[in-house]
Amino acid sequence: MSTAHDPMHDPHADSPSAAHDITDAEHWHRLALSAEADLHERFGHRLMGIPGTWIGALRALPDQPLPKAGARPWSEWHYWWQAHYLDAIIDAAFSALQAGDRSKARANWKRAKQLLRGVLIRNFACFPNYFYDDMAWLLLAATRLNELSLQLSARPALLSTLAMRALGRQMVLGQDGKLGGGLYWSRKRDFKNTPSNGPAALYFARINDVQSSKHLLDWMRHNLHDERTGLYLDGIRLTASGPQLEHAIYTYNQGTVLGALLASGSAEHLAQARSLIESINVQLSNDDHGTGLRLDTGGDGDLFTGILCRYLALAALDPRLPAASQRTAARLICLTAAQLADRTETQLSAAIQRWTILQAAQRVCRTGAQRD
């Protein structure tokens, strides 16, 4: 097999264990299946015991007792964690379809619809909330759920269609001309950032609203792209004394921008995607130690690198990118997956991230191994 276009050929992976772990698709497949079962078993449950619903407990059961039927559901709530739980389930469904396992794909499709229903009920019978980035995450997952439904049943899913309608409208209403455009982070409308504009740009690209996607990508490039690192900064606050730039750099922000650039697909955006992958490799990896991407910890941070890996997987398998960029993306995913292979997580966000990264490793290895 030629390695000229194989994203898994890595001249730096010279240790026997690394060579085995990062190229063996079946190895990652087994780990991903185990992570899936573990997540559903230790975190998943019916919302308030309601049939036809599913939700993720924030901490592993039985550390957090199951809510009793009829119990008040509005204790601690992380809307966007559930959105990424949904995205991970949909990842598994599409992987099953690709492998020809329609039975497993349909089981994941059923669970995904139950989870979206659980989110709706838990969010007080509506999809919008206070934060535009939260809404963008769920919108991306709902859009993919609709695509899955079309493949499995030849018709859209009613609930995901309603979510897309309600949340898609918010992506428009959350923008204005201050600071030259862009989407706000919250309804307070005092902060425009990459966490909201990245996934919104990706959503618009996926529904072929080229103009809206390009507007947000161009706005981020002009306002939040850091020329020194090649990465995207957090955001800009509107203050009484003028705009205030927040310089923090988060892994997940690079992922959604990368996904949006690939979905846009213009020559300009593909060139930016190639450059961004290289910057991620230089700035966000532990390359000296051969352990892949940095892993943030605690609460929301336990999702950050998983989000980046989801979109690096798209890059690793995108033939429009140079082979070197594909290999870099694949190597970062699989080395990162090796960090998580033997972990047992006790928090929902970390468990979702682990499953997401293991699935990403499985995809890039499986598809890469099939290339000539």
Side-chain angles (χ1 to χ4, degrees), residues 186-264:
S186 74
R187 295 182 190 272
K188 190 176 180 182
R189 301 176 81 89
D190 65 347
F191 188 36
K192 293 185 175 182
N193 64 1
T194 309
S196 58
N197 283 273
L202 175 56
Y203 162 71
F204 285 123
R206 284 181 172 173
I207 65 167
N208 296 315
D209 186 343
V210 177
Q211 183 176 357
S212 295
S213 179
K214 185 178 187 303
H215 168 73
L216 295 180
L217 283 168
D218 290 349
W219 183 86
M220 287 187 289
R221 187 77 179 183
H222 178 73
N223 290 281
L224 297 176
H225 184 258
D226 179 43
E227 294 295 335
R228 182 182 64 83
T229 62
L231 301 175
Y232 286 80
L233 305 178
D234 187 34
I236 307 176
R237 295 193 183 277
L238 285 75
T239 71
S241 58
Q244 177 181 322
L245 189 62
E246 296 285 347
H247 289 86
I249 291 175
Y250 297 110
T251 50
Y252 74 124
N253 285 337
Q254 318 315 313
T256 51
V257 173
L258 176 60
L261 292 169
L262 294 174
S264 169

Side-chain angles (χ1 to χ4, degrees), residues 49-356:
I50 301 172
T53 68
W54 196 254
I55 208 75
L58 301 187
R59 285 165 291 278
L61 305 170
D63 297 342
Q64 174 176 283
L66 274 172
K68 296 179 180 178
R72 292 162 62 93
W74 47 88
S75 53
E76 190 178 0
W77 176 228
H78 288 280
Y79 177 109
W80 83 293
W81 294 12
Q82 308 295 331
H84 286 287
Y85 189 8
L86 179 58
D87 238 349
I89 294 171
I90 296 167
D91 286 342
F94 278 119
S95 290
L97 271 180
Q98 186 178 3
D101 189 347
R102 290 185 67 87
S103 176
K104 179 168 174 53
R106 292 186 74 87
N108 281 311
W109 176 44
K110 178 180 179 180
R111 172 137 307 159
K113 290 188 292 182
Q114 291 173 339
L115 178 55
L116 186 59
R117 189 175 298 115
V119 170
L120 174 64
I121 295 171
R122 174 59 185 81
N123 202 54
F124 305 106
C126 65
F127 285 114
N129 81 348
Y130 188 75
F131 297 97
Y132 290 107
D133 62 336
D134 282 7
M135 291 187 276
W137 294 121
L138 190 62
L139 177 58
L140 286 173
T143 303
R144 296 181 71 215
L145 177 55
N146 224 31
E147 294 169 359
L148 178 64
S149 296
L150 288 170
Q151 289 198 35
L152 288 172
S153 70
R155 61 178 183 270
L158 175 60
L159 203 57
S160 58
T161 301
L162 294 174
M164 289 169 61
R165 187 178 304 155
L167 299 174
R169 184 168 180 265
Q170 295 299 320
M171 296 302 101
V172 176
L173 295 176
Q175 300 182 52
D176 66 17
K178 293 181 179 179
L179 300 177
L183 175 67
Y184 285 103
W185 175 57
S186 74
R187 295 182 190 272
K188 190 176 180 182
R189 301 176 81 89
D190 65 347
F191 188 36
K192 293 185 175 182
N193 64 1
T194 309
S196 58
N197 283 273
L202 175 56
Y203 162 71
F204 285 123
R206 284 181 172 173
I207 65 167
N208 296 315
D209 186 343
V210 177
Q211 183 176 357
S212 295
S213 179
K214 185 178 187 303
H215 168 73
L216 295 180
L217 283 168
D218 290 349
W219 183 86
M220 287 187 289
R221 187 77 179 183
H222 178 73
N223 290 281
L224 297 176
H225 184 258
D226 179 43
E227 294 295 335
R228 182 182 64 83
T229 62
L231 301 175
Y232 286 80
L233 305 178
D234 187 34
I236 307 176
R237 295 193 183 277
L238 285 75
T239 71
S241 58
Q244 177 181 322
L245 189 62
E246 296 285 347
H247 289 86
I249 291 175
Y250 297 110
T251 50
Y252 74 124
N253 285 337
Q254 318 315 313
T256 51
V257 173
L258 176 60
L261 292 169
L262 294 174
S264 169
S266 69
E268 176 190 15
H269 288 152
L270 289 175
Q272 291 177 12
R274 182 177 67 248
S275 176
L276 182 56
I277 291 167
E278 182 55 34
S279 295
I280 291 167
N281 183 46
V282 172
Q283 301 291 336
L284 299 179
S285 73
N286 304 307
D287 211 35
D288 291 345
H289 304 288
T291 55
L293 295 161
R294 82 181 193 200
L295 291 168
D296 298 297
T297 58
D300 290 346
D302 279 325
L303 278 170
F304 288 179
T305 305
I307 295 168
L308 174 54
C309 284
R310 169 175 285 117
Y311 297 108
L312 280 173
L314 296 180
L317 302 175
D318 194 324
R320 299 171 300 174
L321 293 175
S325 298
Q326 294 178 265
R327 289 195 297 269
T328 296
R331 174 175 55 82
L332 289 172
I333 292 166
C334 294
L335 288 173
T336 307
Q339 293 187 64
L340 300 173
D342 299 323
R343 288 196 187 181
T344 300
E345 306 292 1
T346 59
Q347 184 163 261
L348 178 64
S349 55
I352 295 168
Q353 171 170 266
R354 180 172 180 266
W355 185 25
T356 298

Side-chain angles (χ1 to χ4, degrees), residues 36-55:
E36 175 181 8
D38 176 73
L39 177 52
H40 294 330
E41 180 179 343
R42 292 196 302 122
F43 295 88
H45 61 92
R46 288 178 174 181
L47 177 66
M48 300 184 292
I50 301 172
T53 68
W54 196 254
I55 208 75

